[in-house]
Amino acid sequence: MSREQKSIFQNIDWTITGLFVVLLFLGWLNIYAAVFNDEHSSIFDISQKYGKQLMWITGALLIAIVVLIIDANFFTAFPFPIYIACCLTLISVIFFGTEISGSKSWFRFGDFGLQPAEFGKFAVCLALAKYMSSLDTQMARFQTKVIAFFIILFPALIIILEKETGTALVYTAFIFVMFREGFSGNIMLGGFFTVLLLISALLVNKVVLVILLAVIAVVVAIAIWVSSRNRKKAKQFIMGVFALLVVASAGVYGVDHAFSKMAPHQKVRINVFLGKDVGKDLKKKAGYNVNQSLIAIGSGGFAGKGFLQGTQTKYNFVPEQSTDFIFCTVGEEWGFLGSAVVLFLFLALILRIIFIAERQRSSFSRIYGYGVASILFFHVTVNVGMTIGLAPVIGIPLPFFSYGGSSLWAFTILLFIFIKLDSNRLLILR
Amino acid sequence: MASQQFSDRKYVILAIFSAIILIFLARLFYIQIVDDQYKLTARNQAFRYMTDYPARGNIFDRKGKRLVYNQAAYDLMVIPKQVKDLDTIDFCKVLGIDKETFRKRMLKAKQAPNSPLKPSVFEKEISIEHSAILNEKLYKFSGFFLVSRTLRKYPSSIAAHLLGYVGEVAPEMIDTSSYYKNGDYIGISGMEKAYELPLRGVKGIHIEVVDVHNRPQGSYMNGIYDTLAVAGKDIECTLDASLQEYGEKLMQNKIGSIVAIEPSTGEILAFVSSPSYDPNLLIGSTLPKNFVTLQQDSLTPLFNRALMASYPPGSTFKLVMTLIAQNEKVLTRSSSFFCAGGYNYGGARPLKCDAHHGYLELPAGIAHSCNTYFCNVFRVVMDNRKYAKMEDVFSVWRNHVTSFGIGRHLNTDIPNELRGSLPTIPHYNKVFGAHRWHTSTIISLAIGQGELGITPIQNANVVCVIANKGFYFIPHTVRSINKNPNDSLLLRFREKHFAMVTDTSYYNVVIEGMNEVVKHGTAAASQIPGIDYCAKTGTAENKRVINGKVIQLKDHSMFIAFAPKENPKIAIAVAVENAGWGAAWAAPIASLMIEKYLTDSISRPLVEKKMLEGDIVHSNIIGKQKK
């Protein structure tokens, strides 16, 4: 309130903007390398993905400027209308969208397509920030938790209905935001152990697992009984432990049941990731992408094969090389050095966002910032983790790198709303 | 406010984010730097290492006539994965095979060690004519393509034993050599084996990049890692093709060999082993079948007699004895011994001579090949008072003999040379007991019998030593490689090897005697008009142990000669098995060879006719049947 804004570029964080531009440029170069062919060697060739990506990038830059021009109050005032509009779009695509390889999540306009699911992220981010920053919201309250989870999970459910499970999973990233704002760490840990248990249920013999759990429960119960002075309280605890055992055992069998209801390709993917034997042919097929990806990245060596010299990506050994597996091109052509640089750039961007989020005077901006950082982090982790065999194959893009307009524009909007909020941090109180 | 309350939690989040990125870096470090398997797999997937086969070197004779060259042929290859929509009936018709054969071959191409993704041979050695027809229709048969192969061709079908043959490399060789791969050709015998390195050249490799569908995408990095094929070098052989061909004709229907060497260089002019075979039989895919047929032939045509047959030298060895005795100063030109038809060495019967020669001097002793004379020569050598013990004098004798190239490898460039046999002191000690053998015990050595065994090439080399008066060059088959006579492989053939007898006057006496042999001695019937030459006949006793009994078989006819007497151009050794006297068959054959080589014409058509038509193989068989 003390200072008037002279230019939209004043007060914006140049570190984040710079990192954004660098990542965009590197992404574009790698798309060029991944789909390069001699007949269309110009990087500006519109008929090729790299030429198209340049158009998307230009669009992204325009969007960034538009976002910076829009009054910051717009984002603080209308998160819920944006959220509702977004949810409606998500639902409408199920009815009016174009079906592409099994999922109904695209609006197509000629050669170009838009995926509303990508744009859901910033809407949820805004809505969550708005809700959680309101004065009467207390994270400790049960009602708060339910509403917050609803805000997050409602669009995720719609996206699952669009059969874009990967994109829906991104919404779990908001757990970091919740945690930062006071959501119980124990619940996070509980969640972690639940996931661990469910995975174990698929890996280990169920009977053995249940017996193991029972043994642990008995040991814990005895420990409580022996160490506790208050017999009555101890009894309650022990009851709780055994109740937990019953729930866990039910979960173990439930997972198995749920697993059997899954689509075959999902089952195989999960099994391959868990390292289970799915039969040679199936494994070859399902593990093929990851295996080829590992070969491409692994063959890059320390310094890589050089720009446009990657044989594995250039000659299509790696599938989806310009989209989900774009990191292969980085690994193969730029080697360990290049991969490390890219990872550090992402880490720098994310850490910078968190740093800036922490200096916000308004909780809204801070929560929004954490949302941005969490989503970016989730994408980088799952995408890169997938290419190097550390995460299951979940088809989500690498921010700013993967070919495609929707995700690029969605990330740009997501990021620049935050930059805009930050540039106004002295003007906005909440 | 909430932000204050939980602001420490940012550290937890920062820690989680950073930790995951670090884990990723560690993983990347492992797969990109520590673990090599991905680099190997990447290469295997994206690269095709294509071999460029160089043309094998040609072989020419000393006059520039082509003896061996390459004939183009094609192998039909198939990549089973790329075979699509094949009209099998049409395909089989073009190739002239039935459907069952097609099915079998396709199966073979798909199974290990072949692979559906990689090329393997479908049909071998398609002639140029047939491949032209095939090539026109090949567009219809995707997945099939022709690659050029070369086959050896021997236009005049001579010198099979010397040239050797080429065949597919044996599995052991593939294991030990990094150069040869399954299906490569390699020289297996003769010059093809001995000169494999210069002849084969060097294979080239070009790396082709293929995409995920195995479609070629051009050469890798513009070919900076490719190596060019280096063509094999042409070799000029020492053979005189016309002389060789003539020698092979003369030896038709006879078992034996002719080795002719140019004494002043050690170059082998003719190298006949009879019976021989057509080298064109041992080519490409017909090789295994024909090889077995030849192997089963009772006359063993694959056996290289000129190099590997060991005969007792018979009387030709008397020349070596003469030289040793002179060198040991126990014999001179005028030394005279009396021949009463045999030499009485104390055994039950005297060692017989063919005639009662009376008193003879050295040249006459050689001329008439008097056994008595040479038993005496052997005696004076062995009973030399200079040496205290029999062992001492024997080893002196033995060293002399060895220096003529007898009883040891000559190290020629023809593979699988035989050493022959020259008895040793331990051998005699074992047979007769230590100190229990004397001159008379081993007297048969005097006339080239007993434990002596000499190969025809060694015998010819002895003639070279006499013709050169004291030295020889290692007999060899190559004059120049790639027109370079001083190729490092050939340098060892430029070196003189001296016999222990170096005094030329000793040789002059022997040469005089050998000249007498031709003028009015045992080979008088084989004189060549206008050519004064020197020779020695030999008749090698041929005993064989059959069913535990020593059986006397018909003698081998042996003859050695060099011509002309002055400034010799050719030294020759002829052996005709089971043909009787040296003068009967070996001498005329040798004289014809000499005349042919020196004058390129034959002045004695009757002799020639008799030799060409002489059939010792079959007459001996018929003779045996009559008995």
Side-chain angles (χ1 to χ4, degrees):
Chain A
M1 275 183 248
S2 55
R3 271 197 275 168
E4 278 297 311
Q5 231 183 326
K6 284 175 190 153
S7 147
I8 55 159
F9 295 118
Q10 199 176 8
N11 289 332
I12 73 167
D13 187 74
W14 287 109
T15 311
I16 294 180
T17 316
L19 285 166
F20 165 77
V21 171
V22 168
L23 286 169
L24 266 188
F25 180 69
L26 291 181
W28 182 47
L29 275 189
N30 280 293
I31 289 171
Y32 178 62
V35 293
F36 175 81
N37 64 61
D38 289 316
E39 285 157 39
H40 305 273
S41 58
S42 164
I43 197 166
F44 303 108
D45 193 323
I46 270 289
S47 69
Q48 300 297 305
K49 279 189 176 170
Y50 29 90
K52 288 197 181 114
Q53 183 71 0
L54 185 61
M55 292 172 63
W56 289 116
I57 289 173
T58 314
L61 294 175
L62 289 175
I63 287 170
I65 291 167
V66 169
V67 170
L68 291 179
I69 290 170
I70 294 171
D71 192 319
N73 290 324
F74 173 78
F75 302 115
T76 50
F78 302 114
F80 291 124
I82 293 173
Y83 178 82
I84 290 163
C86 191
C87 286
L88 289 175
T89 322
L90 282 174
I91 293 168
S92 67
V93 79
I94 298 178
F95 299 102
F96 308 112
T98 318
E99 186 166 329
I100 291 175
S101 56
S103 56
K104 266 204 138 185
S105 60
W106 289 85
F107 282 125
R108 288 211 69 89
F109 314 100
D111 244 8
F112 293 89
L114 279 179
Q115 218 179 352
E118 292 292 338
F119 297 92
K121 290 167 207 165
F122 87 87
V124 172
C125 223
L126 280 175
L128 197 64
K130 180 76 182 173
Y131 174 70
M132 282 168 56
S133 62
S134 52
L135 275 175
D136 53 346
T137 307
Q138 288 293 318
M139 211 53 222
R141 284 169 56 193
F142 181 71
Q143 191 194 352
T144 311
K145 286 176 199 160
V146 171
I147 294 175
F149 273 115
F150 177 82
I151 291 173
I152 296 166
L153 292 180
F154 181 66
L157 278 171
I158 305 171
I159 293 169
I160 287 175
L161 290 178
E162 293 174 6
K163 296 193 178 135
E164 284 287 346
T165 325
T167 310
L169 281 174
V170 173
Y171 291 80
T172 57
F174 286 108
I175 198 82
F176 290 111
V177 183
M178 313 269 284
F179 173 70
R180 169 63 184 85
E181 294 307 315
F183 188 64
S184 163
N186 288 340
I187 295 180
M188 272 185 82
L189 267 180
F192 175 73
F193 280 115
T194 309
V195 171
L196 196 70
L197 183 73
L198 298 185
I199 289 175
S200 313
L202 292 176
L203 275 180
V204 191
N205 186 314
K206 293 185 291 290
V207 180
V208 175
L209 194 62
V210 170
I211 291 173
L212 194 73
L213 288 172
V215 171
I216 293 171
V218 169
V219 170
V220 170
I222 292 169
I224 291 170
W225 187 255
V226 172
S227 63
S228 165
R229 289 193 195 121
N230 187 337
R231 291 293 175 206
K232 200 179 169 193
K233 225 177 179 181
K235 263 184 194 167
Q236 280 177 356
F237 268 118
I238 291 166
M239 293 290 280
V241 166
F242 283 106
L244 211 60
L245 172 66
V246 172
V247 172
S249 304
V252 167
Y253 281 90
V255 147
D256 198 57
H257 181 73
F259 184 68
S260 67
K261 298 269 183 214
M262 274 185 176
H265 77 275
Q266 287 171 324
K267 272 194 220 175
V268 171
R269 272 188 196 175
I270 289 172
N271 276 334
V272 167
F273 175 66
L274 296 176
K276 276 174 87 171
D277 190 15
V278 291
K280 220 175 165 187
D281 286 348
L282 273 178
K283 186 170 185 175
K284 241 180 155 177
K285 243 175 153 178
Y288 179 83
N289 296 11
V290 176
N291 198 26
Q292 289 298 341
S293 157
L294 276 171
I295 291 167
I297 295 172
S299 66
F302 180 71
K305 296 177 184 172
F307 185 54
L308 299 182
Q309 301 301 330
T311 50
Q312 306 309 107
T313 45
K314 207 159 91 177
Y315 298 123
N316 304 325
F317 288 95
V318 182
E320 312 285 343
Q321 44 187 321
S322 60
T323 54
D324 294 348
F325 284 92
I326 187 69
F327 192 71
C328 294
T329 312
V330 180
E332 188 183 14
E333 298 195 345
W334 303 102
F336 178 72
L337 275 183
S339 311
V341 166
V342 169
L343 284 180
F344 275 125
L345 286 175
F346 274 116
L347 185 64
L349 177 66
I350 292 164
L351 296 189
R352 176 72 187 169
I353 291 168
I354 291 175
F355 174 79
I356 288 177
E358 286 291 342
R359 78 179 181 192
Q360 299 302 316
R361 291 198 297 186
S362 93
S363 330
F364 178 87
S365 303
R366 182 184 66 242
I367 295 168
Y368 183 81
Y370 266 95
V372 175
S374 303
I375 288 170
L376 285 176
F377 173 74
F378 187 89
H379 271 269
V380 172
T381 304
V382 171
N383 181 284
V384 176
M386 167 183 80
T387 61
I388 58 178
L390 290 181
V393 178
I394 294 169
I396 58 171
L398 185 62
F400 316 119
F401 267 67
S402 292
Y403 171 77
S406 302
S407 74
L408 177 57
W409 286 4
F411 281 121
T412 307
I413 294 169
L414 186 72
L415 187 66
F416 274 82
I417 289 176
F418 180 62
I419 292 176
K420 178 71 186 176
L421 291 173
D422 174 58
S423 72
N424 276 27
R425 68 184 180 277
L426 301 175
L427 304 173
I428 304 167
L429 258 179
R430 36 185 322 118
Chain B
M1 229 166 97
S3 64
Q4 256 45 60
Q5 204 180 339
F6 299 109
S7 80
D8 283 351
R9 290 193 166 188
K10 71 181 179 216
Y11 298 115
V12 177
I13 293 171
L14 289 179
I16 293 173
F17 287 10
S18 305
I20 287 194
I21 297 296
L22 284 178
I23 290 169
F24 282 11
L25 283 176
R27 169 75 172 168
L28 281 168
F29 184 82
Y30 180 76
I31 63 171
Q32 294 189 303
I33 295 169
V34 180
D35 196 342
D36 273 341
Q37 65 154 314
Y38 302 108
K39 292 171 193 72
L40 289 175
T41 319
R43 251 176 253 163
N44 284 340
Q45 280 187 338
F47 293 171
R48 291 278 170 274
Y49 294 87
M50 312 287 278
T51 309
D52 301 327
Y53 289 96
R56 202 173 168 86
N58 300 305
I59 302 179
F60 298 90
D61 91 331
R62 63 193 294 123
K63 289 175 181 161
K65 186 176 178 187
R66 197 164 59 168
L67 296 179
V68 189
Y69 68 96
N70 299 312
Q71 189 185 32
Y74 291 89
D75 283 358
L76 181 65
M77 312 291 287
V78 61
I79 301 176
K81 233 349 182 336
Q82 293 182 3
V83 177
K84 279 187 189 91
D85 311 322
L86 182 73
D87 183 346
T88 316
I89 296 167
D90 188 25
F91 181 78
C92 289
K93 217 173 81 188
V94 171
L95 216 59
I97 56 172
D98 59 36
K99 233 179 153 177
E100 182 59 23
T101 316
F102 173 84
R103 203 187 56 78
K104 271 187 197 155
R105 288 185 187 175
M106 281 306 277
L107 198 68
K108 201 183 156 202
K110 282 177 198 165
Q111 286 168 342
N114 300 319
S115 146
L117 282 170
K118 291 181 181 171
S120 42
V121 179
F122 190 84
E123 172 127 341
K124 272 187 178 178
E125 291 158 27
I126 300 166
S127 68
I128 303 183
E129 301 80 43
H130 195 179
S131 71
I133 302 167
L134 200 59
N135 217 357
E136 275 177 27
K137 304 198 173 174
L138 220 50
Y139 73 95
K140 286 194 282 187
F141 314 129
S142 66
F144 289 90
F145 59 98
L146 291 166
V147 295
S148 75
R149 269 284 192 189
T150 54
L151 291 176
R152 286 306 238 184
K153 181 82 186 166
Y154 307 87
S156 43
S157 301
I158 55 166
H161 293 103
L162 191 82
L163 297 172
Y165 63 95
V166 166
E168 270 188 36
V169 64
E172 309 89 71
M173 191 71 191
I174 300 170
D175 295 340
T176 53
S177 145
S178 58
Y179 182 84
Y180 297 99
K181 300 276 176 287
N182 203 4
D184 283 2
Y185 283 104
I186 186 174
I188 292 181
S189 77
M191 289 174 68
E192 298 276 24
K193 179 179 183 180
Y195 292 92
E196 166 71 9
L197 276 181
L199 280 174
R200 79 176 185 201
V202 182
K203 284 190 286 195
I205 283 190
H206 68 267
I207 307 171
E208 200 169 62
V209 186
V210 294
D211 71 357
V212 67
H213 304 295
N214 209 32
R215 288 180 302 221
Q217 302 289 325
S219 73
Y220 178 60
M221 299 282 274
N222 288 324
I224 61 165
Y225 295 113
D226 295 358
T227 52
L228 281 176
V230 181
K233 294 173 181 166
D234 285 352
I235 282 183
E236 184 194 2
C237 172
T238 59
L239 282 188
D240 180 318
S242 53
L243 184 67
Q244 173 76 21
E245 198 171 352
Y246 187 59
E248 290 188 14
K249 264 191 210 152
L250 288 173
M251 289 301 286
Q252 265 172 20
N253 296 318
K254 300 162 196 76
I255 298 173
S257 60
I258 303 173
V259 179
I261 302 175
E262 185 175 72
S264 59
T265 57
E267 292 175 1
I268 295 175
L269 302 169
F271 189 86
V272 179
S273 172
S274 183
S276 186
Y277 60 90
D278 183 350
N280 291 306
L281 289 174
L282 300 185
I283 284 175
S285 59
T286 59
L287 191 153
K289 202 182 94 218
N290 290 334
F291 189 85
V292 170
T293 314
L294 289 171
Q295 211 172 25
Q296 287 168 345
D297 191 322
S298 62
L299 295 176
T300 60
L302 289 173
F303 182 50
N304 187 345
R305 291 178 164 80
L307 189 73
M308 300 173 74
S310 167
Y311 305 103
S315 303
T316 58
F317 188 66
K318 288 168 182 168
L319 303 174
V320 177
M321 277 312 304
T322 309
L323 290 166
I324 296 171
Q326 290 183 95
N327 205 41
E328 285 290 289
K329 313 270 193 293
V330 293
L331 183 75
T332 62
R333 187 187 178 286
S334 53
S335 296
S336 144
F337 297 102
F338 182 77
C339 170
Y343 175 79
N344 201 331
Y345 58 94
R349 285 176 298 163
L351 198 153
K352 270 201 195 161
C353 194
D354 310 322
H356 294 263
H357 291 116
Y359 277 105
L360 290 171
E361 288 194 344
L362 182 46
I366 296 172
H368 298 288
S369 195
C370 175
N371 284 350
T372 316
Y373 192 96
F374 281 96
C375 287
N376 279 303
V377 170
F378 190 71
R379 180 179 52 77
V380 295
V381 170
M382 290 294 166
D383 293 354
N384 193 343
R385 295 247 174 98
K386 212 164 79 183
Y387 305 103
K389 284 187 295 188
M390 186 66 197
E391 278 90 343
D392 296 342
V393 65
F394 183 82
S395 68
V396 168
W397 173 82
R398 195 175 188 282
N399 289 342
H400 272 94
V401 176
T402 311
S403 73
F404 284 90
I406 295 171
R408 65 176 172 82
H409 293 124
L410 286 173
N411 290 321
T412 70
D413 52 1
I414 317 171
N416 305 323
E417 199 184 321
L418 194 76
R419 187 193 281 126
S421 51
L422 180 62
T424 59
I425 294 172
H427 171 77
Y428 283 133
N429 283 342
K430 201 178 138 200
V431 175
F432 301 110
H435 314 299
R436 298 192 57 152
W437 48 281
H438 312 283
T439 309
S440 52
T441 331
I442 56 173
I443 193 73
S444 50
L445 295 179
I447 55 165
Q449 298 288 344
E451 293 88 347
L452 270 181
I454 300 188
T455 62
I457 195 169
Q458 284 174 334
N459 223 356
N461 187 54
V462 170
V463 188
C464 288
V465 176
I466 296 168
N468 291 334
K469 300 182 182 174
F471 64 87
Y472 69 91
F473 295 95
I474 295 176
H476 55 278
T477 60
V478 171
R479 291 187 95 190
S480 67
I481 297 174
N482 223 10
K483 302 230 161 72
N484 175 14
N486 297 317
D487 190 287
S488 61
L489 286 173
L490 306 178
L491 290 181
R492 64 192 188 97
F493 304 129
R494 310 285 178 256
E495 230 174 90
K496 276 183 189 176
H497 293 260
F498 288 92
M500 278 174 75
V501 183
T502 48
D503 191 325
T504 51
S505 67
Y506 300 157
Y507 288 95
N508 287 336
V509 177
V510 171
I511 290 170
E512 189 189 339
M514 288 174 77
N515 193 230
E516 287 288 309
V517 170
V518 180
K519 282 197 171 131
H520 26 253
T522 48
S526 295
Q527 287 174 4
I528 309 167
I531 296 173
D532 190 17
Y533 76 102
C534 303
K536 182 74 196 79
T537 55
T539 306
E541 274 191 38
N542 181 15
K543 289 177 189 166
R544 220 171 269 171
V545 182
I546 298 172
N547 298 334
K549 268 195 262 175
V550 179
I551 292 182
Q552 187 89 29
L553 296 170
K554 198 168 180 191
D555 296 338
H556 298 320
S557 177
M558 315 286 276
F559 192 74
I560 57 176
F562 66 85
K565 184 186 172 200
E566 302 301 329
N567 201 7
K569 291 270 182 286
I570 178 170
I572 191 166
V574 178
V576 185
E577 291 185 14
N578 311 110
W581 296 98
W585 291 95
I589 288 174
S591 73
L592 288 167
M593 289 289 285
I594 290 170
E595 193 177 7
K596 171 85 179 167
Y597 183 66
L598 294 180
T599 68
D600 202 22
S601 62
I602 295 299
S603 59
R604 297 162 294 154
L606 285 178
V607 179
E608 185 186 36
K609 185 165 184 282
K610 190 186 165 203
M611 290 301 121
L612 285 173
E613 289 174 0
D615 185 345
I616 293 167
V617 174
H618 299 98
S619 67
N620 275 345
I621 294 170
I622 292 161
K624 259 183 224 162
Q625 282 167 344
K626 273 182 187 165
K627 276 178 198 170

